[in-house]
Amino acid sequence: MSRIKYYYDPKSCKYERYTPSKWDVGINILGIVSMASILAIAFIMMFNHFFDSPKELKLINENKELKLYYSLLEDDVELMNAMVADLQDRDDNLYRVIFESEPIPTSIRNAGFGGTDRYRNIKDKGLNQEKMILDVMGKVDQLKRKLYVQSVSYDELSETALNKEEYWASIPAIQPVHNEELSRLASGFGMRLHPILKVRKMHSGIDFSAPKGTPIYATGDGVVEVVKTDFGGYGKNIIINHGFGFTTRYAHMNEFNVKRGQKIKRGDCIGYVGNTGSSTAPHVHYEVKKDGKFVNPVHYFFKDLNPAEFDKILELASRENQSLS
């Protein structure tokens, strides 16, 4: 029960009962409501400071889940990058070595994917986790690029593999004359004493001594590119183009057994040993070029020699003696 209020009235010299006006009641009510509102706001602010609302709790949990999924996705991307790196390593150091293909440059494998405007749509949205999203998208795009390059590489190797049968048939892999006793190799590849000039000069092939008229055989499949006679130098000689960067020359022949443009197989008789050109005794001077450069023909004699015979002929070819031409 509310207290009754009184006030002193000087006119009547008596205490009169106080009756509040509607205005006073309104002011009082407004003050109470204002104070209650202030206290309520303060309470809510303190509550929100120390406690999360259900909506905030939901968002916090969603953020935790997103970060967890991001972490798992990032781990998967790193795992896939490691797997791609293993494929790249095997591609460069195994498959391409076997098929004699140049490794793919690192600059191509790690090249960028798209331009700086590629992620403009993401940036324009102003997402809270923009950096995290752009980071994982960049890694995924880089992975896509590596996989694309690797796919192209395997396509190239597949095509090479299909041609490998032809490749192995084309390599100059046998000796140009029958040499079962390994006694006909007279001079090897490298610096040798010239038989006429009597000075050490580069001998760009190997010499097989043999009686005049001994058959000379093509050492790999190919096409006869040159059939000509030089009155000095190589004398009667033939050049065969085997493809895949290989060419062979057979010099100082006595007779030809093929024509220019003729397709031949490994082991076909292309001519006969002679003593034409700058030659000091009947023999065949045999050269191999790979991509336009002279190489040691002995390194390709793997078709008709066992390991022991190969070691022996390699030792014979390494002796520095006098060449026959």
Side-chain angles (χ1 to χ4, degrees), residues 177-178 184 208-216 254 272-274 282-284:
V177 293
H178 285 307
R184 287 183 168 175
F208 288 91
S209 62
K212 187 177 180 180
T214 300
I216 300 173
N254 186 57
Y272 302 92
V273 171
H283 75 288
V284 57

Side-chain angles (χ1 to χ4, degrees), residues 48-77:
N48 288 337
H49 180 73
F50 293 103
F51 303 97
D52 296 319
S53 67
K55 185 176 181 179
E56 287 174 331
L57 287 173
K58 183 180 179 181
L59 291 174
I60 290 172
N61 290 331
E62 286 181 357
N63 279 337
K64 287 181 179 178
E65 288 183 3
L66 288 173
K67 288 180 179 179
L68 175 62
Y69 290 134
Y70 170 78
S71 177
L72 295 174
L73 181 60
E74 195 171 42
D75 289 344
D76 286 342
V77 171

